[in-house]
Amino acid sequence: MMASIKGVPICKACCATNNNHRHCYYYSKQIGLSESGSRNLLNLRVQNKWECRLGGVLTKTQTATTPVEENDKPSVDGNGETQITETRGFHRDLQSLPRPLSAIDLSSSLSDGSKVRVAYQGLPGAYSEAAALKAYPKCETVPCDEFEAVFKAVELWLVDKAVLPIENSVGGSIHRNYDLLLFHRLHIVGEVQLVVNHCLLGLPGVRKEELKRVLSHPQALDQCEMTLNKLGVTKVSTNDSAGAAQITAAERVRDTGAIASVRAAEIYGLDVLAERIQDDTDNITRFLILAREPIIPGSDRPHKTSIVFSLEEGPGVLFKALAVFALRNINLSKIESRPQRYRPLRIVDDSNKGSAKYFDYLFYVDFEASMAEPRAQYALAHLQEIAKFLRVLGCYPIDTTL
C-alpha cells in the first residue's frame, strides 16, 4: 500500500493581501496499491480540497458535490465571508446553530461527541436520535424532515455528522438511503446497532383498553401487528414514530395512542401503557454514521468496508466478482442489489434474433476487513479488473454493542 499527503500553498491572490500563507493549503490524499508490489497501481480514491482560513473564518471550501436548491445556496456578503441561507426541511432555526466547524475543529472533537452536531431524520425522540446519542453521548442532535435534508445538512457544513438507518432485522433494507449514498459524496465513518423497544403511549391516565386508534410509522405498525390486533384498534400511519407521539400529545384525544420510544413519551408528556410490544423481541436497526471526510482505517480492531460496483452482463460475472473476496478469506456480511435509476434496462442485441432486455444493477457489498490490510487492497484491485464501476463508500469500525 502506498499513501501520500501533500500540502502546498495556493490561492496566491488571497494570501498576498493577507501575508498569511500558513492558512491556505491544497490537500491531496491518494491511496495506491499493487498486488505485485511494483506494478498495476490502483488509485482507489483521490480527493482534492482546498480551504483558506483567515482570522478563523472559513472563506471557501469544496464539500457539497450535488446540486443545491436555489434557496439552499451559500451567499457572500460585502466582507467576502460565506453565509449559508436557511435550508428547508429542518424543525429548528438553523441560523441559531453555532458556526460550522472547520477541519481543525473536527480533529479535536472529543470521543463523547461534546463538540459534534449530528443530523437525523425525524423529530426529537425518534429512534435515529437515540442512535446518534449512543454514538456520541453528549452531541447536539439536529432533527430533519427527510433523509435528503440529512445529507444536505452535512454537505453544507450545518452539522458535522449524520446518522441514518440502513437496515432493520425485521423490515429489511431501507432502499432510499442506499440510493442517497450513491447520489451524495459523503463517507461512512461508523455504524450503530440499536435494539428497538416499541412502546404503546397514551395521554396521562388513559388505559390501553380505552384506545380506539394508534398512530405510528408504517414499519412500527407492522412490527406490532399482533398486539394491535388484540386491542382491536385502527392503525394510522405517520411519517415517523416520534411524530406520532407529538400528534397524540397535541390532539389530546383520550382514545388515540402512539407507538414510539420511551424517550418520546418523556419529551411529549405521555404515559407508557406497554413496553416491548413488537412481535419479534429481537428487533435491531443498523444505522450508518456519515461525514464529509473519511476516517483513516486501522487494524487495531475489527473493521468493515462498504463498496458499490456494477458489472458487465455475462455468465458468471457476479460469481467472479464475489470470488475475489473468498480467495483472500474475506467474509461478506451483506450484499444488496439495486437497479440503476438512470439506466435501469440494458439492451443486448443478439444478431438477427432480436434484442433482450436485462435490468442493470448496482451491487452494494459490506465485507469484514480494513482497508489498512493488504488482503482488502488486493481484493479491490482484483475487483476493479472485473467491474465497470467501483466506489468505496467507507471503511469503519464494526459496532458489536447492543
Side-chain angles (χ1 to χ4, degrees), residues 307 321-323 325-326 330-335 365-368:
I307 63 173
L322 300 181
F325 301 102
I330 297 176
N331 182 51
L332 301 182
S333 58
K334 181 175 176 61
I335 179 170
V365 169
D366 295 341
F367 62 87
E368 295 178 355

Side-chain angles (χ1 to χ4, degrees), residues 153-224:
V154 181
E155 290 176 334
L156 295 176
W157 288 68
L158 300 172
V159 297
D160 309 307
K161 291 180 172 62
V163 170
L164 285 168
I166 197 66
E167 61 178 330
N168 177 264
S169 59
V170 178
S173 299
I174 301 174
H175 296 139
R176 174 59 177 162
N177 286 337
Y178 274 105
D179 295 337
L180 289 172
L181 279 175
L182 184 66
F183 184 74
H184 294 270
R185 298 293 296 185
L186 299 182
H187 303 272
I188 306 174
V189 297
E191 67 174 1
V192 179
Q193 296 187 103
L194 185 73
V195 177
V196 176
N197 175 19
H198 285 313
C199 300
L200 183 62
L201 312 182
L203 294 174
V206 174
R207 296 179 298 109
K208 62 181 181 180
E209 291 77 12
E210 299 179 49
L211 298 180
K212 293 183 179 179
R213 66 173 188 153
V214 172
L215 288 61
S216 195
H217 187 275
Q219 279 200 9
L221 295 173
D222 291 340
Q223 293 170 10
C224 303

Side-chain angles (χ1 to χ4, degrees), residues 178-179 182 308-311 335-341 359-365 388-389:
Y178 274 105
D179 295 337
L182 184 66
V308 57
F309 61 90
S310 62
L311 301 168
I335 179 170
E336 185 81 24
S337 63
R338 295 285 294 150
Q340 294 203 41
R341 296 180 60 185
F359 266 95
D360 207 3
Y361 288 98
L362 290 166
F363 298 96
Y364 293 82
V365 169
K388 64 177 182 179
F389 164 76

